[in-house]
Amino acid sequence: MAEVAARAGVSAMTVSRALKSDGAVSEETRGRILATVEELGYVLDLSAGALSSKRTGFVAAVIPSINNSNFSDTARGITEAIEGQGLQMLLGYTDYDMEKEEQLVRAMLTRRPDGIIVTDGRHTPKARRMLQSAGIPVVETWDMPADPIDHVVGFSNAEASRALVHRLYQKGYRNIAFIGGASRRDTRGADRRLGYKRAVEELGLPVGRTISFGNPPISMQQGGEAIVQLIEQWPDVDAAVCVSDLSAFGAIMECHRRGWAVPGRIAVAGFGDFEVSRCSWPRITTVAVDCRNIGLEAGRVMLRAIADVRDGRRPGPETLIVPFEVIEREST
Amino acid sequence: MAEVAARAGVSAMTVSRALKSDGAVSEETRGRILATVEELGYVLDLSAGALSSKRTGFVAAVIPSINNSNFSDTARGITEAIEGQGLQMLLGYTDYDMEKEEQLVRAMLTRRPDGIIVTDGRHTPKARRMLQSAGIPVVETWDMPADPIDHVVGFSNAEASRALVHRLYQKGYRNIAFIGGASRRDTRGADRRLGYKRAVEELGLPVGRTISFGNPPISMQQGGEAIVQLIEQWPDVDAAVCVSDLSAFGAIMECHRRGWAVPGRIAVAGFGDFEVSRCSWPRITTVAVDCRNIGLEAGRVMLRAIADVRDGRRPGPETLIVPFEVIEREST
DNA sequence: CCTGACGATGGTATCGATAACAATTTGTTG
DNA sequence: CAACAAATTGTTATCGATACCATCGTCAGG
């Protein structure tokens, strides 16, 4: 930067100002400086700027999986919201593992992000403590935490799942099962199972029709294996609620292969409104959440929070509940 | 850090050493320091360390889309390779847009990564120049660039597509079409189309059976729309090669809906071996590339290159060709 | 008992930018 | 044209760690 400054006949400070959009520099000087920058191929070093300004321009985002289109949509939403504001997303994934989340949070805080967005309402005690004492805005998403750390942009997975079961009941199904992961690592999956459980209980339906299969993320293939197991174990089941659309799809395809009509022999519903659910045949009944919008809103909450910190304001945490919708299609 | 140092009765330098794995500190002192760190809840500030050590510990990774499981698998591979080496991935996506790639590269270089991995062999002239003059290792992946910038871990999309068409020919198909995106933004898609073109020409098959539909990423739904258009335009077509498995899946589902047998009325093949191709019915013939492995290898090449830079070595660029495989399934 | 090697630790300069304030120039108004 | 405000630019200290070199014991070998 000193070199650019010398060449343009100004001080380094003026170069610095010329390179920020809001810098107070005369148009003429800015032009000259930008030309010099171009000429020398100079690239600003934000890692140095971060040190003096005490703002890195990073927003850390922690998602369970980068391969799950629901969460990558959320990541896209976050990017959309913050890019253009001079912020850059620092993305990491936990593989649905709270221990890994803790490590990741630790690693990210080491980079001194201006804020952090996590995709869960539950954390290890250490992770929680780190998030609380980091001194930056925190947004928890995709969940309704019982005891929020700071801001929240989410919905109740249990409520959504419950609503889906009720819808199936209205349609006439009376023996409804749940297919989900075997591990409790996936807290959202656990919440969906809980919602299912509540619904069958309050509807007076047979309970305990639950197949647990594999570790998250539950794959299409596991859905296929699970539905076979389900039908063997409880032949009278007439509908299956799957923890996600992917397992629902796998289940339906396995049914096709075996000549079981969907619906007819068994109805299958999913969760998440993945593209495959809209394009497969039959199309899959599911719960749609606007994943990208969760990211957008989380990003916006983060922008406001960062601006508040910058300007010394101290407003309370925001809680945003995003809507979900049960979408009925041909699979039920 | 000064506070930790004072509390532990040592200098800041010793604290710094205690916090690196390779630091030369006596076990006793390290123990005392780590205890103090824990007690105070101190978190190392890498953004400051980066400035003095001139190594940020970032590896920038630029992929076309975060929603495409092929590329997110590659990103996972990169993470796997570099994490545990004190490196952190800085991920960005271009939406298959070379202009956006340029902006992204610019933004990433501003963070002074220790290396950068891009998912393409073609770039805007400016992007190319920036990558060349950044003074850090560059790995181009998923492609075989005509004129590599530095290291390469890839394969020829054209060759893969050509091999697929040949396999269809062996199976007896004689009127083979291609379904791809309308834009030339997706350079890999363009390469696949090129390979298709070469194959039908050298096999003496009818040429020009090409449907272009929508912007990348080509969705499932667009695959469905495209196959209808294809059959209307050339009713004698007996096989369709799709630019990706997702469009192939959409096409097959649309055929189901309309009662067109796959195969029979028309065979459909994809590209990428997405999970949906293994789990749908019929399962989809495709070209499998080990996406995660591309990331792993790219990460390893990067690790070596960074170590070389650190130790002042200056070996030539590596080129790694990863294998692809045509997998024949029931859809053809 | 001296010497040199080595392990452990400390002191100081420095990485490359920006904040904060100071200084200078320019413009405006009565 | 004086006087003051606004716009522009410069100076210096600083952000929080690490590189580099110096220092101080300790111990083995002669």
Side-chain angles (χ1 to χ4, degrees), chain A:
Chain A
M1 184 178 266
E3 200 179 327
V4 174
R7 191 99 150 207
V10 294
S11 72
M13 195 61 237
T14 304
V15 175
S16 173
R17 278 191 277 248
L19 291 174
K20 322 193 96 43
S21 39
D22 63 331
V25 189
S26 72
E27 273 318 307
E28 188 213 328
T29 316
R30 162 171 281 130
R32 184 153 37 94
I33 290 172
L34 293 185
T36 312
V37 164
E38 187 70 22
E39 183 191 338
L40 295 181
Y42 168 73
V43 178
L44 184 63
D45 186 337
L46 280 186
S47 74
L51 191 56
S52 48
S53 68
K54 296 174 157 250
R55 304 184 62 220
T56 55
F58 279 129
V59 171
V62 176
I63 61 179
S65 165
I66 195 182
N67 284 77
N68 179 304
S69 79
N70 277 184
F71 297 123
S72 54
D73 279 342
T74 296
R76 295 178 72 88
I78 294 173
T79 311
E80 271 180 64
I82 67 173
E83 80 182 349
Q85 311 292 315
L87 293 170
Q88 153 104 46
M89 182 175 60
L90 195 56
L91 186 67
Y93 55 87
T94 67
D95 282 324
Y96 299 87
D97 183 342
M98 274 165 74
E99 297 296 330
K100 246 189 127 175
E101 188 200 48
E102 180 185 316
Q103 290 167 28
L104 199 55
V105 165
R106 190 191 311 281
M108 299 221 143
L109 291 182
T110 241
R111 301 291 184 173
R112 292 291 186 273
D114 296 336
I116 181 165
I117 300 176
V118 295
T119 324
D120 214 325
R122 264 166 281 183
H123 320 276
T124 65
K126 273 191 190 172
R128 195 182 165 83
R129 207 171 320 129
M130 286 191 283
L131 288 170
Q132 278 171 328
S133 56
I136 55 175
V138 177
V139 183
E140 291 168 283
T141 65
W142 269 91
D143 215 338
M144 294 302 297
D147 183 15
I149 297 177
D150 195 4
H151 308 281
V152 174
V153 176
F155 66 98
S156 165
N157 283 269
E159 280 309 306
S161 180
R162 181 165 159 261
L164 175 59
V165 173
H166 275 266
R167 185 71 75 88
L168 292 177
Y169 181 84
Q170 283 168 27
K171 268 227 131 176
Y173 297 103
R174 288 294 179 273
N175 205 333
I176 304 173
F178 184 87
I179 291 177
S183 120
R184 266 173 307 170
R185 276 170 29 181
D186 178 10
T187 57
R188 271 166 309 279
D191 281 347
R192 290 172 198 168
R193 178 183 313 228
L194 184 67
Y196 155 80
K197 189 157 162 282
R198 277 198 203 131
V200 292
E201 278 169 6
E202 67 199 12
L203 289 168
L205 302 182
V207 299
R209 262 70 165 148
T210 297
I211 295 283
S212 299
F213 213 98
N215 284 325
I218 305 306
S219 66
M220 292 178 175
Q221 182 167 353
Q222 288 169 329
E225 297 172 35
I227 197 133
V228 172
Q229 198 176 312
L230 176 68
I231 293 223
E232 276 172 9
Q233 201 162 343
W234 297 290
D236 56 337
V237 160
D238 58 5
V241 169
C242 297
V243 71
S244 93
D245 280 358
L246 304 182
S247 43
F249 174 79
I252 291 174
M253 289 296 135
E254 185 62 33
C255 289
H256 276 207
R257 204 164 294 138
R258 294 176 177 252
W260 299 340
V262 176
R265 173 66 192 84
I266 188 165
V268 177
F271 200 111
D273 194 25
F274 289 70
E275 196 191 8
V276 72
S277 296
R278 292 191 293 275
C279 292
S280 68
W281 193 251
R283 293 180 304 163
I284 303 174
T285 294
T286 192
V287 177
V289 187
D290 190 340
C291 314
R292 177 174 150 275
N293 192 48
I294 291 181
L296 267 177
E297 290 297 349
R300 287 182 191 139
V301 167
M302 182 56 74
L303 287 178
R304 282 194 289 274
I306 290 178
D308 286 339
V309 169
R310 171 166 44 79
D311 302 341
R313 271 165 286 166
R314 205 68 199 103
E318 292 185 57
T319 293
L320 223 86
I321 300 178
V322 300
F324 61 80
E325 186 191 356
V326 176
I327 301 185
E328 224 174 293
R329 300 202 178 107
E330 295 86 6
S331 74
T332 58

Side-chain angles (χ1 to χ4, degrees), chain B residues 187-241:
Chain B
T187 57
R188 271 167 308 280
D191 282 347
R192 289 173 199 168
R193 178 184 312 230
L194 184 67
Y196 156 81
K197 189 156 162 280
R198 278 200 203 130
V200 292
E201 278 169 6
E202 67 200 12
L203 289 168
L205 303 182
V207 299
R209 262 70 166 149
T210 297
I211 295 282
S212 299
F213 212 97
N215 284 325
I218 304 306
S219 66
M220 292 178 175
Q221 183 167 351
Q222 288 169 330
E225 297 173 36
I227 196 133
V228 172
Q229 198 177 312
L230 175 69
I231 293 223
E232 276 172 8
Q233 200 162 342
W234 296 289
D236 55 340
V237 160
D238 57 5
V241 169

